[in-house]
Amino acid sequence: MYKRQEVERSRFKDDKGAIIDALHEELRDRFCKVLNHPILEAMRVFDHRVWPSDPDTLSEFGEKQLRLLYEECKVYMDGTSFDVVWEQFEEVKEMINTNEGLHTRKYADLWAQMLCKFSPTYSELLRLVAIVLVVPVDTSECERVFSLMNNHKPQDEGAVSAQPGELAQFDDVVQRGEGFATRRRARPR
């Protein structure tokens, strides 16, 4: 009996290791294609934590990445040339790197501060930053938005729960445009 349990444990460990390896391989194959996309890679140019600390190296840092983002978002740049955006980026990099109050901020906090305080001065660069900031890097931002929506949802509107066939019926009602005016619940005052 004891020997059989040991054999089963050994098989379980082997199976567990094989499953974890297979999952790791699947996740890497699936997400590396997305995460290694040149545009997403270029967005890291605004991550001040990876900027070089040497002023000479910093001044040259990020031109290729910024140009790629600029070309991708050119339609939103209102005719602004890349040279203007690059000049503003050079000034902003130096300001952030030499100002301890800015340099020690977290990524989102830093750029939120920059957008609020320096939009008139660096409007072209910060337009590009704003575009980058709206791209969620993980699901936590989306989850936060849903959480905030739930916090503001009126208490009388409970969660939707439906059986499998009920959603198809609801879709039919929506397509016909029926029932919305007559089925509204009165909100408590």
Side-chain angles (χ1 to χ4, degrees), residues 15 23 28 35 42 52 54 57 68 77 87 89 93 101 112-113 115 118 120 122 144 149 158 160 180 182 184 189:
D15 290 346
L23 283 172
R28 193 186 49 173
L35 296 176
D54 175 55
T57 311
L68 180 61
M77 299 306 290
E87 184 180 307
F89 188 50
K93 286 188 297 184
Q113 169 102 16
L115 284 162
F118 298 103
Y122 302 111
R144 245 180 243 114
M149 288 180 357
V160 175
F180 293 110
T182 58
R184 260 193 197 148
R189 296 177 193 236

Side-chain angles (χ1 to χ4, degrees), residues 2 4 13-14 18 22 37 41 46 53-54 60 72 74 77 87 91 102 106 119 121-122 137 172 174-175 179:
Y2 179 74
R4 183 175 171 202
K13 279 184 176 179
D14 292 344
H37 192 282
E41 292 272 335
F46 295 122
S53 56
D54 175 55
E60 299 169 6
E72 190 69 24
K74 199 176 199 174
M77 299 306 290
E87 184 180 307
E91 290 176 25
L102 294 174
K106 293 180 179 176
S119 282
T121 311
Y122 302 111
V137 291
D172 292 341
V174 170
Q175 285 179 348

Side-chain angles (χ1 to χ4, degrees), residues 1-11 13:
M1 179 83 171
Y2 179 74
K3 196 171 200 173
R4 183 175 171 202
Q5 287 176 340
E6 286 299 317
V7 169
E8 291 299 320
R9 278 193 189 136
S10 177
R11 286 184 186 163
K13 279 184 176 179

Side-chain angles (χ1 to χ4, degrees), residues 3 10 15 45-46 55 58 83 98 108 110 116-117 119 121-122 127 133 137 139-140 156 160 170 176 187:
K3 196 171 200 173
S10 177
D15 290 346
V45 75
F46 295 122
L58 179 65
D83 294 334
T98 57
L110 167 71
C116 289
K117 284 196 169 188
S119 282
T121 311
Y122 302 111
R127 180 178 298 138
L133 288 175
V137 291
T139 61
S140 64
D156 66 330
V160 175
F170 178 75
R176 291 191 307 262
R187 293 191 177 181

Side-chain angles (χ1 to χ4, degrees), residues 65-94:
Q65 296 91 332
L66 192 66
R67 186 176 297 280
L68 180 61
L69 289 173
Y70 171 82
E71 291 299 326
E72 190 69 24
C73 302
K74 199 176 199 174
V75 68
Y76 305 109
M77 299 306 290
D78 294 334
T80 302
S81 74
F82 174 76
D83 294 334
V84 170
V85 176
W86 176 248
E87 184 180 307
Q88 290 182 2
F89 188 50
E90 285 181 304
E91 290 176 25
V92 166
K93 286 188 297 184
E94 184 179 341

